Amino acid sequence: MTEEMPPRSAEVSPSPVNVESSAAQWASAAQPAEPASAGWAPVLSGKRMTELAKSGSFAVDEGTGDKMISALQGVIDSLQARWDALQKVGELPMMSQSAAGRWVAGHMVATASDSQGLLTQLRAARDEFPSYIEAIELAKKTYREREHTATESFRHLPGDPGPH
């Protein structure tokens, strides 16, 4: 939710009162009115990955799947460990009480918390990653089932001399 400063008309002079009024409007607009993850859509959602795994379009071997899960879990753990510190990015920073200081502080909060903001993106990723892990687990199962089916198919080929 990025808002612009109110446009100055020809009648509005750049007096400190008008600048402070604009800064106050900006700072009040900086508080997100919608959920932090609203407007964020992953390129490939965990739900979609799960659908692909169920249909067989996403399959991954055990070792690769374990590495993917380990990497995702590492990111989740890292975000969780630093979550309190990261939340400070969304707080109004200590700046001067001048109109410019208040405007910059409001702008910083707004850009951290809008639909493309750092906090919004991190929160959405933190919330989405567990569904990726579930999809990868299913994709590993899909891969095992395919391997088993392929192995059985080869065993039943005509002229197969049996196990080697």
Side-chain angles (χ1 to χ4, degrees):
M1 160 173 116
T2 306
E3 302 229 357
E4 296 181 11
M5 291 286 294
R8 258 190 353 202
S9 68
E11 299 173 26
V12 178
S13 66
S15 71
V17 172
N18 290 331
V19 171
E20 287 185 16
S21 171
S22 295
Q25 290 174 358
W26 207 161
S28 68
Q31 304 307 319
E34 57 192 37
S37 60
W40 185 86
V43 174
L44 183 61
S45 71
K47 181 179 178 181
R48 180 68 181 133
M49 285 179 65
T50 300
E51 291 169 1
L52 291 170
K54 284 179 181 177
S55 73
S57 297
F58 174 42
V60 64
D61 68 272
E62 196 77 25
T64 303
D66 289 345
K67 288 176 185 176
M68 293 167 71
I69 289 170
S70 178
L72 286 168
Q73 192 60 55
V75 173
I76 293 168
D77 294 346
S78 180
L79 281 173
Q80 197 60 40
R82 293 169 177 79
W83 200 250
D84 289 340
L86 288 168
Q87 293 306 300
K88 292 179 182 176
V89 174
E91 297 173 3
L92 208 58
M94 299 290 286
M95 301 197 79
S96 74
Q97 291 302 308
S98 69
R102 289 193 304 270
W103 183 85
V104 169
H107 182 67
M108 290 173 71
V109 170
T111 57
S113 302
D114 68 8
S115 65
Q116 297 300 310
L118 175 66
L119 289 177
T120 306
Q121 299 299 316
L122 290 175
R123 189 173 291 116
R126 182 191 68 178
D127 295 345
E128 190 72 18
F129 282 176
S131 62
Y132 288 170
I133 291 172
E134 291 175 19
I136 293 167
E137 289 290 355
L138 184 57
K140 287 174 23 179
K141 180 181 175 199
T142 301
Y143 186 88
R144 282 191 305 271
E145 290 170 355
R146 277 190 188 168
E147 283 293 302
H148 178 72
T149 301
T151 301
E152 289 302 311
S153 294
F154 282 119
R155 284 192 180 133
H156 296 354
L157 288 175
D160 181 21
H164 296 236

